[in-house]
Amino acid sequence: MALYAIISKDVEDSLEKRIATRPAHIKRLQELQDAGRLVLAGPHPAVDGDTAGEAGFTGSLIVAEFNDLEAAQQWADNDPYNDAGVYAQVTVKPFKKVFPQ
């Protein structure tokens, strides 16, 4: 197993689509966490602050363990946010964790 970063960029005005699809998206992340493979996950708020509010989000970052790049890409391709049209672009690449040790 190795770490991979899944970096997603949202389409404009993605908030309604995100809200509607969030339970299915969170379910998949919970499965990764339950398997001990999730390092971190979360959205990029469109504004600086604790809550994005109506401004919504500009994308997401997930760092998790997968067998290889192909498995990470396949997992990312099957994200419910893709099917719902939340993401405009998704990049998957190897990630090397240095800190914290």
Side-chain angles (χ1 to χ4, degrees):
M1 290 273 211
L3 291 177
Y4 295 89
I6 301 170
I7 306 155
S8 307
K9 181 179 177 184
D10 280 21
V11 299
E12 292 288 325
D13 300 318
S14 64
L15 187 57
E16 285 185 34
K17 293 175 184 177
R18 271 184 170 270
I19 291 169
T21 313
R22 188 172 190 273
H25 174 76
I26 294 296
K27 181 178 185 276
R28 293 180 81 234
L29 291 171
Q30 186 65 54
E31 290 168 0
L32 278 180
Q33 182 174 320
D34 292 348
R37 296 171 40 206
L38 183 63
V39 175
L40 63 88
H44 301 286
V47 294
D48 190 14
D50 290 340
T51 179
E54 291 181 18
F57 302 92
T58 61
S60 299
L61 171 64
I62 298 168
V63 177
E65 287 184 327
F66 294 93
N67 287 332
D68 53 32
L69 181 59
E70 183 178 338
Q73 183 68 59
Q74 183 178 14
W75 190 91
D77 289 345
N78 289 314
D79 192 309
Y81 280 173
N82 281 326
D83 292 338
V86 172
Y87 293 149
Q89 178 183 353
V90 178
T91 302
V92 181
K93 53 186 169 180
F95 181 82
K96 181 179 177 182
K97 181 181 173 190
V98 176
F99 287 100
Q101 296 181 348

Coordinates of all heavy atoms in Angstrom, one line a residue:
M1 N 0.8 -1.2 0.0 CA 0.0 0.0 0.0 C 0.9 1.2 0.0 O 1.9 1.3 0.6 CB -0.9 0.0 1.2 CG -2.0 -1.0 1.3 SD -3.4 -0.4 0.4 CE -4.7 -1.2 1.3
A2 N 0.4 2.3 -0.7 CA 1.1 3.5 -0.8 C 0.0 4.7 -0.7 O -1.2 4.4 -0.9 CB 1.8 3.6 -2.1
L3 N 0.5 5.9 -0.4 CA -0.4 7.0 -0.3 C -0.6 7.7 -1.6 O 0.4 7.8 -2.4 CB 0.2 8.0 0.7 CG 0.2 7.6 2.2 CD1 0.8 8.7 3.1 CD2 -1.2 7.3 2.7
Y4 N -1.8 8.2 -1.8 CA -2.1 8.9 -3.0 C -3.0 10.1 -2.6 O -3.8 10.0 -1.7 CB -2.9 8.0 -4.0 CG -2.0 6.9 -4.5 CD1 -2.0 5.7 -3.8 CD2 -1.2 7.1 -5.6 CE1 -1.1 4.7 -4.2 CE2 -0.4 6.1 -6.0 CZ -0.3 4.9 -5.3 OH 0.5 3.9 -5.7
A5 N -2.7 11.2 -3.3 CA -3.6 12.4 -3.2 C -4.6 12.5 -4.3 O -4.2 12.3 -5.5 CB -2.7 13.7 -3.2
I6 N -5.8 12.7 -3.9 CA -6.9 12.9 -4.9 C -7.3 14.4 -4.7 O -7.9 14.8 -3.7 CB -8.1 12.0 -4.6 CG1 -7.6 10.5 -4.7 CG2 -9.2 12.2 -5.6 CD1 -8.6 9.5 -4.2
I7 N -7.0 15.2 -5.8 CA -7.2 16.6 -5.7 C -8.3 17.0 -6.7 O -8.1 16.7 -7.9 CB -5.9 17.4 -6.1 CG1 -4.8 16.9 -5.1 CG2 -6.1 18.9 -6.0 CD1 -3.4 17.0 -5.7
S8 N -9.4 17.5 -6.2 CA -10.5 17.7 -7.1 C -10.9 19.2 -7.2 O -10.7 19.9 -6.2 CB -11.8 17.0 -6.6 OG -11.5 15.6 -6.4
K9 N -11.3 19.6 -8.4 CA -11.7 21.0 -8.6 C -13.2 21.0 -8.9 O -13.6 20.2 -9.8 CB -10.9 21.6 -9.7 CG -11.3 23.1 -10.0 CD -10.4 23.6 -11.1 CE -10.9 25.0 -11.4 NZ -10.2 25.6 -12.6
D10 N -14.0 21.8 -8.2 CA -15.4 21.9 -8.4 C -15.8 22.7 -9.7 O -15.0 23.6 -10.1 CB -16.1 22.5 -7.3 CG -16.3 21.6 -6.1 OD1 -15.6 20.6 -6.0 OD2 -17.1 21.9 -5.2
V11 N -16.9 22.4 -10.2 CA -17.5 23.2 -11.3 C -18.0 24.5 -10.5 O -18.1 24.5 -9.3 CB -18.7 22.5 -12.0 CG1 -18.3 21.2 -12.7 CG2 -19.8 22.2 -11.0
E12 N -18.4 25.5 -11.3 CA -19.0 26.7 -10.7 C -20.3 26.3 -10.1 O -21.1 25.5 -10.6 CB -19.2 27.8 -11.8 CG -17.9 28.3 -12.3 CD -17.2 29.2 -11.4 OE1 -17.8 30.0 -10.6 OE2 -15.9 29.2 -11.4
D13 N -20.6 27.0 -9.0 CA -21.9 26.8 -8.3 C -22.2 25.4 -8.0 O -23.3 24.9 -8.3 CB -23.0 27.5 -9.1 CG -22.8 29.0 -9.3 OD1 -22.4 29.6 -8.4 OD2 -23.0 29.4 -10.5
S14 N -21.3 24.7 -7.4 CA -21.5 23.2 -7.1 C -22.2 22.9 -5.8 O -22.5 21.8 -5.5 CB -20.1 22.6 -7.0 OG -19.3 23.1 -5.9
L15 N -22.5 24.0 -5.0 CA -23.0 23.7 -3.6 C -24.2 22.9 -3.5 O -24.3 21.9 -2.8 CB -23.2 25.1 -2.9 CG -23.6 25.0 -1.4 CD1 -22.5 24.2 -0.6 CD2 -23.8 26.3 -0.8
E16 N -25.2 23.1 -4.3 CA -26.5 22.3 -4.3 C -26.2 20.9 -4.6 O -26.7 20.0 -4.0 CB -27.5 22.9 -5.2 CG -28.2 24.2 -4.7 CD -29.3 24.6 -5.6 OE1 -30.0 23.8 -6.2 OE2 -29.5 25.9 -5.7
K17 N -25.4 20.6 -5.7 CA -25.0 19.3 -6.0 C -24.2 18.6 -4.9 O -24.4 17.4 -4.6 CB -24.2 19.3 -7.3 CG -24.9 19.7 -8.5 CD -24.0 19.8 -9.7 CE -24.8 20.4 -11.0 NZ -23.9 20.5 -12.1
R18 N -23.3 19.3 -4.3 CA -22.5 18.8 -3.2 C -23.5 18.4 -2.0 O -23.3 17.3 -1.5 CB -21.6 19.8 -2.6 CG -20.2 19.8 -3.3 CD -19.3 20.8 -2.6 NE -18.0 20.7 -3.0 CZ -17.1 19.9 -2.5 NH1 -17.4 19.2 -1.4 NH2 -15.8 19.8 -3.0
I19 N -24.4 19.2 -1.7 CA -25.3 19.0 -0.5 C -26.1 17.7 -0.8 O -26.3 16.8 0.0 CB -26.2 20.2 -0.2 CG1 -25.3 21.3 0.3 CG2 -27.3 19.8 0.7 CD1 -26.0 22.6 0.4
A20 N -26.6 17.6 -2.0 CA -27.5 16.5 -2.4 C -26.7 15.2 -2.4 O -27.3 14.1 -2.1 CB -28.1 16.7 -3.8
T21 N -25.5 15.2 -2.8 CA -24.7 14.0 -3.0 C -23.8 13.7 -1.8 O -23.2 12.6 -1.7 CB -23.8 14.1 -4.2 OG1 -24.6 14.6 -5.3 CG2 -23.2 12.8 -4.7
R22 N -23.7 14.6 -0.8 CA -22.7 14.4 0.3 C -22.9 13.1 1.1 O -21.9 12.5 1.4 CB -22.9 15.6 1.2 CG -21.8 15.6 2.3 CD -21.8 16.9 3.1 NE -20.7 17.0 4.0 CZ -20.6 16.5 5.2 NH1 -21.6 15.9 5.7 NH2 -19.5 16.7 5.9
P23 N -24.1 12.6 1.4 CA -24.2 11.4 2.2 C -23.5 10.2 1.5 O -22.8 9.4 2.1 CB -25.7 11.1 2.3 CG -26.3 12.5 2.2 CD -25.4 13.2 1.2
A24 N -23.6 10.1 0.2 CA -23.0 9.0 -0.6 C -21.5 9.2 -0.6 O -20.7 8.2 -0.5 CB -23.6 8.9 -2.0
H25 N -21.0 10.4 -0.8 CA -19.6 10.7 -0.8 C -19.0 10.4 0.6 O -17.9 9.8 0.7 CB -19.4 12.2 -1.1 CG -18.1 12.7 -1.1 ND1 -17.1 12.4 -2.0 CD2 -17.4 13.5 -0.1 CE1 -16.0 13.0 -1.7 NE2 -16.2 13.7 -0.6
I26 N -19.6 10.8 1.7 CA -19.1 10.6 3.0 C -19.1 9.1 3.4 O -18.2 8.6 4.0 CB -20.0 11.4 4.0 CG1 -19.8 12.9 3.8 CG2 -19.7 11.0 5.5 CD1 -18.4 13.4 4.1
K27 N -20.1 8.4 2.9 CA -20.1 6.9 3.1 C -18.9 6.2 2.6 O -18.3 5.4 3.3 CB -21.4 6.3 2.5 CG -21.5 4.8 2.7 CD -22.8 4.3 2.1 CE -23.0 2.9 2.4 NZ -22.3 2.0 1.5
R28 N -18.4 6.6 1.4 CA -17.2 6.0 0.8 C -16.0 6.4 1.6 O -15.1 5.6 1.9 CB -17.0 6.5 -0.6 CG -18.1 5.9 -1.5 CD -17.9 6.3 -2.9 NE -16.9 5.5 -3.6 CZ -15.8 5.9 -4.2 NH1 -15.6 7.2 -4.3 NH2 -15.0 5.1 -4.7
L29 N -15.9 7.7 2.1 CA -14.8 8.1 2.9 C -14.8 7.4 4.3 O -13.7 7.0 4.8 CB -14.9 9.6 3.2 CG -14.6 10.5 1.9 CD1 -14.9 11.9 2.2 CD2 -13.2 10.3 1.5
Q30 N -16.0 7.1 4.8 CA -16.1 6.4 6.1 C -15.6 5.0 5.9 O -14.9 4.4 6.8 CB -17.5 6.4 6.6 CG -17.7 5.8 8.0 CD -17.0 6.6 9.1 OE1 -17.2 7.8 9.2 NE2 -16.1 5.9 9.8
E31 N -15.8 4.4 4.8 CA -15.4 3.0 4.5 C -13.8 3.0 4.5 O -13.2 2.1 5.0 CB -15.9 2.5 3.2 CG -17.4 2.2 3.3 CD -18.1 1.9 1.9 OE1 -17.4 2.0 0.9 OE2 -19.3 1.7 1.9
L32 N -13.2 4.0 3.9 CA -11.7 4.1 3.9 C -11.2 4.3 5.3 O -10.2 3.7 5.7 CB -11.3 5.3 3.0 CG -11.2 5.1 1.5 CD1 -10.7 6.4 0.9 CD2 -10.3 4.0 1.1
Q33 N -11.9 5.1 6.0 CA -11.5 5.4 7.4 C -11.6 4.1 8.3 O -10.7 3.7 9.0 CB -12.3 6.5 8.1 CG -11.8 6.8 9.5 CD -12.5 8.0 10.1 OE1 -12.7 9.0 9.4 NE2 -12.9 7.9 11.4
D34 N -12.7 3.4 8.1 CA -12.9 2.2 8.9 C -11.9 1.1 8.5 O -11.5 0.3 9.4 CB -14.3 1.6 8.6 CG -15.4 2.5 9.2 OD1 -15.1 3.4 10.0 OD2 -16.6 2.3 8.8
A35 N -11.4 1.2 7.3 CA -10.3 0.2 6.9 C -8.9 0.7 7.3 O -7.9 0.0 7.0 CB -10.4 0.0 5.4
G36 N -8.8 1.9 7.9 CA -7.6 2.4 8.4 C -6.7 2.9 7.3 O -5.5 3.1 7.4
R37 N -7.3 3.3 6.1 CA -6.6 3.8 5.0 C -6.7 5.3 4.7 O -6.0 5.8 3.8 CB -7.1 3.0 3.7 CG -6.8 1.5 3.8 CD -7.5 0.7 2.7 NE -7.4 1.3 1.4 CZ -8.3 1.1 0.5 NH1 -9.3 0.2 0.7 NH2 -8.2 1.7 -0.7
L38 N -7.6 6.0 5.4 CA -7.8 7.4 5.2 C -6.8 8.2 6.1 O -6.8 8.1 7.3 CB -9.2 7.8 5.5 CG -9.6 9.2 5.2 CD1 -9.5 9.6 3.7 CD2 -11.0 9.5 5.6
V39 N -6.0 9.1 5.4 CA -5.1 10.0 6.2 C -5.9 11.3 6.5 O -5.9 11.8 7.6 CB -3.8 10.2 5.4 CG1 -3.0 11.3 6.1 CG2 -3.1 8.9 5.2
L40 N -6.5 11.9 5.5 CA -7.3 13.1 5.6 C -8.2 13.3 4.4 O -7.9 12.8 3.4 CB -6.4 14.3 5.8 CG -5.4 14.7 4.7 CD1 -6.1 15.7 3.7 CD2 -4.2 15.4 5.3
A41 N -9.2 14.1 4.7 CA -10.2 14.4 3.6 C -10.9 15.6 4.0 O -11.3 15.8 5.1 CB -11.1 13.2 3.3
G42 N -11.2 16.5 3.0 CA -12.0 17.6 3.2 C -12.1 18.5 2.0 O -11.3 18.4 1.1
P43 N -13.1 19.5 2.1 CA -13.3 20.4 0.9 C -12.4 21.6 1.1 O -11.9 21.9 2.2 CB -14.7 20.7 1.0 CG -15.0 20.7 2.5 CD -14.1 19.6 3.0
H44 N -12.3 22.4 0.0 CA -11.6 23.7 0.0 C -12.8 24.7 0.0 O -13.4 24.9 -1.1 CB -10.8 23.9 -1.2 CG -9.7 22.9 -1.3 ND1 -8.5 22.9 -0.6 CD2 -9.5 21.8 -2.2 CE1 -7.8 21.8 -0.9 NE2 -8.4 21.2 -1.9
P45 N -13.0 25.4 1.1 CA -14.0 26.5 1.1 C -13.7 27.6 0.1 O -12.5 27.9 -0.1 CB -14.0 27.0 2.5 CG -13.4 25.9 3.3 CD -12.4 25.2 2.4
A46 N -14.7 28.2 -0.5 CA -14.5 29.3 -1.4 C -14.1 30.6 -0.7 O -13.6 31.5 -1.4 CB -15.7 29.5 -2.3
V47 N -14.3 30.6 0.6 CA -13.9 31.8 1.3 C -13.1 31.4 2.6 O -13.2 30.3 3.0 CB -15.2 32.6 1.8 CG1 -15.9 33.2 0.6 CG2 -16.1 31.8 2.6
D48 N -12.4 32.3 3.1 CA -11.6 32.0 4.3 C -12.4 32.1 5.5 O -13.1 33.1 5.7 CB -10.4 33.1 4.4 CG -9.4 32.8 5.4 OD1 -9.4 31.6 5.9 OD2 -8.6 33.6 5.8
G49 N -12.5 31.0 6.3 CA -13.3 31.0 7.5 C -13.7 29.6 7.8 O -13.4 28.6 7.1
D50 N -14.4 29.5 9.0 CA -14.8 28.2 9.5 C -15.9 27.5 8.6 O -16.0 26.3 8.6 CB -15.3 28.3 10.9 CG -14.1 28.6 11.9 OD1 -13.0 28.3 11.5 OD2 -14.4 29.1 13.0
T51 N -16.7 28.3 7.9 CA -17.8 27.7 7.1 C -17.8 28.4 5.8 O -17.5 29.6 5.7 CB -19.1 27.9 7.9 OG1 -20.1 27.4 7.0 CG2 -19.4 29.3 8.2
A52 N -18.1 27.7 4.8 CA -18.2 28.2 3.4 C -19.4 29.0 3.2 O -19.5 29.9 2.3 CB -18.0 27.1 2.4
G53 N -20.5 28.6 3.9 CA -21.8 29.3 3.7 C -22.3 29.2 2.3 O -22.0 28.2 1.6
E54 N -22.9 30.2 1.8 CA -23.4 30.2 0.4 C -22.3 30.3 -0.6 O -22.6 30.0 -1.8 CB -24.4 31.4 0.3 CG -25.7 31.2 1.1 CD -26.7 32.3 0.9 OE1 -26.5 33.1 -0.1 OE2 -27.6 32.5 1.7
A55 N -21.1 30.7 -0.2 CA -20.0 30.7 -1.2 C -19.6 29.4 -1.7 O -19.1 29.2 -2.8 CB -18.8 31.4 -0.5
G56 N -19.9 28.3 -0.9 CA -19.6 27.0 -1.4 C -18.2 26.6 -1.3 O -17.4 27.1 -0.5
F57 N -17.8 25.7 -2.2 CA -16.5 25.1 -2.2 C -15.8 25.2 -3.6 O -16.5 25.2 -4.6 CB -16.5 23.7 -1.7 CG -17.1 23.6 -0.3 CD1 -18.5 23.4 -0.1 CD2 -16.3 23.7 0.8 CE1 -19.0 23.3 1.1 CE2 -16.9 23.6 2.1 CZ -18.2 23.4 2.3
T58 N -14.5 25.1 -3.6 CA -13.8 25.1 -4.9 C -13.2 23.8 -5.3 O -12.7 23.6 -6.4 CB -12.7 26.2 -4.9 OG1 -11.7 25.8 -3.8 CG2 -13.2 27.6 -4.6
G59 N -13.3 22.8 -4.3 CA -12.7 21.5 -4.6 C -12.6 20.7 -3.3 O -13.1 21.1 -2.3
S60 N -11.8 19.6 -3.4 CA -11.6 18.7 -2.3 C -10.2 18.1 -2.3 O -9.6 18.1 -3.4 CB -12.6 17.6 -2.3 OG -13.9 18.0 -2.2
L61 N -9.7 17.7 -1.2 CA -8.5 16.9 -1.1 C -8.7 15.7 -0.3 O -9.3 15.7 0.8 CB -7.4 17.8 -0.4 CG -6.1 17.1 -0.1 CD1 -5.4 16.6 -1.3 CD2 -5.2 18.0 0.7
I62 N -8.3 14.5 -0.8 CA -8.3 13.3 -0.1 C -6.9 12.7 -0.2 O -6.3 12.6 -1.2 CB -9.3 12.3 -0.7 CG1 -10.7 12.9 -0.6 CG2 -9.2 10.9 0.0 CD1 -11.7 12.1 -1.5
V63 N -6.4 12.2 1.0 CA -5.1 11.5 1.0 C -5.4 10.2 1.6 O -5.9 10.1 2.8 CB -4.0 12.2 1.7 CG1 -2.7 11.4 1.8 CG2 -3.7 13.6 1.1
A64 N -5.2 9.1 0.9 CA -5.5 7.7 1.4 C -4.5 6.7 0.8 O -3.8 7.0 -0.1 CB -6.9 7.4 1.1
E65 N -4.6 5.5 1.4 CA -3.8 4.4 1.0 C -4.5 3.6 0.0 O -5.7 3.3 0.2 CB -3.4 3.5 2.2 CG -2.4 4.0 3.1 CD -2.0 3.0 4.2 OE1 -2.9 2.2 4.6 OE2 -0.8 3.1 4.6
F66 N -3.8 3.2 -1.1 CA -4.3 2.3 -2.1 C -3.2 1.4 -2.5 O -2.0 1.7 -2.3 CB -4.8 3.1 -3.3 CG -6.0 4.0 -3.0 CD1 -5.9 5.3 -2.7 CD2 -7.3 3.4 -3.1 CE1 -7.0 6.1 -2.4 CE2 -8.4 4.2 -2.8 CZ -8.3 5.6 -2.4
N67 N -3.6 0.3 -3.2 CA -2.6 -0.7 -3.6 C -1.6 -0.1 -4.7 O -0.4 -0.4 -4.7 CB -3.2 -1.9 -4.2 CG -3.8 -2.8 -3.2 OD1 -3.4 -2.8 -2.0 ND2 -4.8 -3.5 -3.5
D68 N -2.2 0.8 -5.5 CA -1.3 1.4 -6.6 C -2.1 2.6 -7.2 O -3.2 2.8 -6.8 CB -0.9 0.4 -7.7 CG -2.1 -0.4 -8.3 OD1 -3.2 0.2 -8.4 OD2 -1.9 -1.5 -8.7
L69 N -1.4 3.3 -8.1 CA -2.0 4.5 -8.7 C -3.3 4.1 -9.5 O -4.3 4.9 -9.4 CB -1.0 5.1 -9.7 CG -1.5 6.4 -10.4 CD1 -1.9 7.5 -9.4 CD2 -0.4 6.9 -11.3
E70 N -3.3 3.0 -10.1 CA -4.6 2.6 -10.8 C -5.7 2.4 -9.9 O -6.9 2.8 -10.2 CB -4.3 1.3 -11.6 CG -5.5 0.8 -12.5 CD -5.1 -0.4 -13.3 OE1 -4.0 -0.7 -13.5 OE2 -6.1 -1.1 -13.6
A71 N -5.5 1.8 -8.7 CA -6.6 1.6 -7.8 C -7.1 2.9 -7.2 O -8.3 3.1 -7.0 CB -6.1 0.6 -6.6
A72 N -6.1 3.8 -7.0 CA -6.5 5.1 -6.5 C -7.4 5.9 -7.5 O -8.4 6.5 -7.2 CB -5.3 5.9 -6.1
Q73 N -6.9 5.8 -8.8 CA -7.7 6.4 -9.8 C -9.1 5.9 -10.0 O -10.0 6.6 -10.2 CB -6.9 6.3 -11.2 CG -7.5 7.1 -12.3 CD -7.5 8.6 -12.1 OE1 -6.4 9.1 -12.0 NE2 -8.7 9.2 -12.1
Q74 N -9.1 4.5 -9.9 CA -10.5 3.9 -10.0 C -11.4 4.3 -8.9 O -12.6 4.6 -9.1 CB -10.3 2.4 -10.1 CG -11.6 1.6 -10.3 CD -11.4 0.1 -10.3 OE1 -10.3 -0.4 -10.0 NE2 -12.4 -0.6 -10.8
W75 N -10.8 4.4 -7.7 CA -11.6 4.8 -6.6 C -12.1 6.2 -6.8 O -13.3 6.6 -6.6 CB -10.8 4.7 -5.3 CG -11.7 4.9 -4.0 CD1 -12.3 4.0 -3.3 CD2 -12.0 6.2 -3.4 NE1 -13.0 4.5 -2.3 CE2 -12.8 5.9 -2.3 CE3 -11.6 7.5 -3.7 CZ2 -13.3 6.9 -1.4 CZ3 -12.1 8.5 -2.8 CH2 -12.9 8.2 -1.7
A76 N -11.2 7.1 -7.2 CA -11.6 8.5 -7.5 C -12.6 8.6 -8.6 O -13.6 9.4 -8.5 CB -10.3 9.3 -7.8
D77 N -12.5 7.8 -9.6 CA -13.4 7.9 -10.8 C -14.8 7.5 -10.3 O -15.8 7.9 -11.0 CB -13.0 6.9 -11.9 CG -11.7 7.4 -12.6 OD1 -11.4 8.6 -12.5 OD2 -11.1 6.6 -13.3
N78 N -14.9 6.7 -9.3 CA -16.3 6.2 -8.8 C -16.9 7.0 -7.7 O -17.9 6.7 -7.1 CB -16.1 4.7 -8.4 CG -15.9 3.8 -9.6 OD1 -16.6 3.9 -10.6 ND2 -15.0 2.9 -9.4
D79 N -16.3 8.2 -7.4 CA -16.8 9.1 -6.4 C -18.2 9.6 -6.8 O -18.3 10.1 -8.0 CB -15.9 10.3 -6.2 CG -16.2 11.1 -5.0 OD1 -17.4 11.5 -4.8 OD2 -15.3 11.3 -4.2
P80 N -19.2 9.5 -6.0 CA -20.5 10.1 -6.3 C -20.5 11.5 -6.8 O -21.4 11.9 -7.6 CB -21.3 9.9 -5.0 CG -20.6 8.8 -4.3 CD -19.2 8.9 -4.6
Y81 N -19.6 12.3 -6.3 CA -19.5 13.7 -6.8 C -19.2 13.8 -8.3 O -19.6 14.7 -8.9 CB -18.4 14.5 -6.0 CG -18.8 14.9 -4.6 CD1 -17.9 15.5 -3.7 CD2 -20.2 14.8 -4.2 CE1 -18.3 16.0 -2.5 CE2 -20.5 15.3 -2.9 CZ -19.6 15.9 -2.1 OH -20.0 16.3 -0.8
N82 N -18.5 12.8 -8.8 CA -18.3 12.8 -10.3 C -19.6 12.6 -11.0 O -19.9 13.3 -11.9 CB -17.3 11.7 -10.7 CG -15.9 12.0 -10.4 OD1 -15.5 13.2 -10.6 ND2 -15.1 11.1 -10.1
D83 N -20.3 11.6 -10.6 CA -21.6 11.3 -11.2 C -22.6 12.4 -11.1 O -23.4 12.7 -12.0 CB -22.3 10.0 -10.6 CG -21.5 8.8 -10.9 OD1 -20.7 8.8 -11.9 OD2 -21.6 7.8 -10.2
A84 N -22.5 13.2 -10.0 CA -23.5 14.3 -9.8 C -23.0 15.6 -10.5 O -23.8 16.6 -10.4 CB -23.6 14.6 -8.3
G85 N -21.8 15.6 -11.1 CA -21.4 16.8 -11.8 C -20.8 17.8 -10.8 O -20.7 19.0 -11.2
V86 N -20.3 17.4 -9.6 CA -19.7 18.4 -8.7 C -18.3 18.7 -9.2 O -17.9 19.9 -9.1 CB -19.7 17.8 -7.3 CG1 -18.9 18.7 -6.3 CG2 -21.1 17.6 -6.7
Y87 N -17.6 17.7 -9.6 CA -16.2 18.0 -10.0 C -16.0 18.3 -11.5 O -16.5 17.6 -12.3 CB -15.3 16.7 -9.7 CG -15.2 16.4 -8.2 CD1 -15.0 15.1 -7.8 CD2 -15.2 17.4 -7.2 CE1 -14.9 14.8 -6.4 CE2 -15.0 17.1 -5.9 CZ -14.8 15.8 -5.5 OH -14.7 15.5 -4.2
A88 N -15.2 19.3 -11.7 CA -14.8 19.7 -13.1 C -13.6 18.9 -13.5 O -13.4 18.6 -14.7 CB -14.6 21.2 -13.2
Q89 N -12.7 18.6 -12.5 CA -11.4 18.0 -12.8 C -11.0 17.2 -11.5 O -11.2 17.7 -10.4 CB -10.4 19.0 -13.1 CG -9.0 18.5 -13.4 CD -8.0 19.6 -13.7 OE1 -8.4 20.8 -13.8 NE2 -6.8 19.2 -13.8
V90 N -10.4 16.0 -11.7 CA -9.8 15.3 -10.6 C -8.4 14.8 -11.0 O -8.3 14.2 -12.1 CB -10.7 14.0 -10.3 CG1 -10.1 13.2 -9.2 CG2 -12.1 14.5 -9.9
T91 N -7.5 15.1 -10.1 CA -6.1 14.6 -10.4 C -5.7 13.7 -9.2 O -6.0 13.9 -8.1 CB -5.1 15.9 -10.3 OG1 -5.5 16.8 -11.3 CG2 -3.7 15.4 -10.6
V92 N -5.2 12.5 -9.6 CA -4.7 11.5 -8.7 C -3.2 11.4 -8.9 O -2.8 11.1 -10.0 CB -5.4 10.2 -8.9 CG1 -5.0 9.2 -7.8 CG2 -6.9 10.4 -8.8
K93 N -2.5 11.5 -7.8 CA -1.0 11.3 -7.9 C -0.4 10.7 -6.6 O -1.0 10.9 -5.5 CB -0.3 12.6 -8.3 CG -0.6 13.8 -7.5 CD 0.1 15.0 -8.2 CE -0.4 16.3 -7.6 NZ 0.3 17.4 -8.3
P94 N 0.7 10.1 -6.7 CA 1.4 9.6 -5.5 C 1.7 10.7 -4.5 O 1.9 11.9 -4.9 CB 2.7 9.0 -6.0 CG 2.4 8.7 -7.4 CD 1.5 9.8 -7.9
F95 N 1.6 10.4 -3.2 CA 1.9 11.3 -2.1 C 2.9 10.7 -1.2 O 2.7 9.6 -0.8 CB 0.5 11.6 -1.4 CG 0.7 12.6 -0.3 CD1 0.7 14.0 -0.6 CD2 0.7 12.2 1.0 CE1 0.8 14.9 0.4 CE2 0.9 13.2 2.0 CZ 0.9 14.5 1.7
K96 N 3.8 11.5 -0.8 CA 4.8 11.1 0.2 C 4.6 11.9 1.5 O 4.8 13.1 1.5 CB 6.2 11.3 -0.3 CG 7.3 10.9 0.7 CD 8.7 11.0 0.2 CE 9.7 10.6 1.3 NZ 11.0 10.8 0.8
K97 N 4.2 11.3 2.5 CA 4.0 11.9 3.8 C 5.3 12.1 4.5 O 6.0 11.1 4.7 CB 3.0 11.1 4.7 CG 2.7 11.8 6.0 CD 1.8 10.9 6.9 CE 1.7 11.5 8.2 NZ 1.0 10.6 9.2
V98 N 5.7 13.3 4.9 CA 6.9 13.5 5.6 C 6.6 13.9 7.1 O 7.2 13.4 8.0 CB 7.7 14.6 4.9 CG1 9.0 15.0 5.7 CG2 8.1 14.2 3.5
F99 N 5.6 14.8 7.3 CA 5.2 15.2 8.6 C 3.7 15.1 8.7 O 3.0 15.4 7.8 CB 5.7 16.6 8.9 CG 7.2 16.8 9.1 CD1 8.0 17.2 8.1 CD2 7.7 16.4 10.3 CE1 9.4 17.3 8.3 CE2 9.1 16.6 10.6 CZ 9.9 17.0 9.5
P100 N 3.2 14.9 9.9 CA 3.9 14.6 11.1 C 4.4 13.1 11.0 O 3.9 12.3 10.3 CB 2.9 14.7 12.2 CG 1.6 14.5 11.6 CD 1.7 15.0 10.2
Q101 N 5.5 12.9 11.8 CA 6.1 11.5 11.7 C 5.4 10.6 12.6 O 4.8 10.9 13.5 CB 7.6 11.6 12.1 CG 8.4 12.4 11.1 CD 9.8 12.5 11.5 OE1 10.3 12.2 12.5 NE2 10.6 13.0 10.5

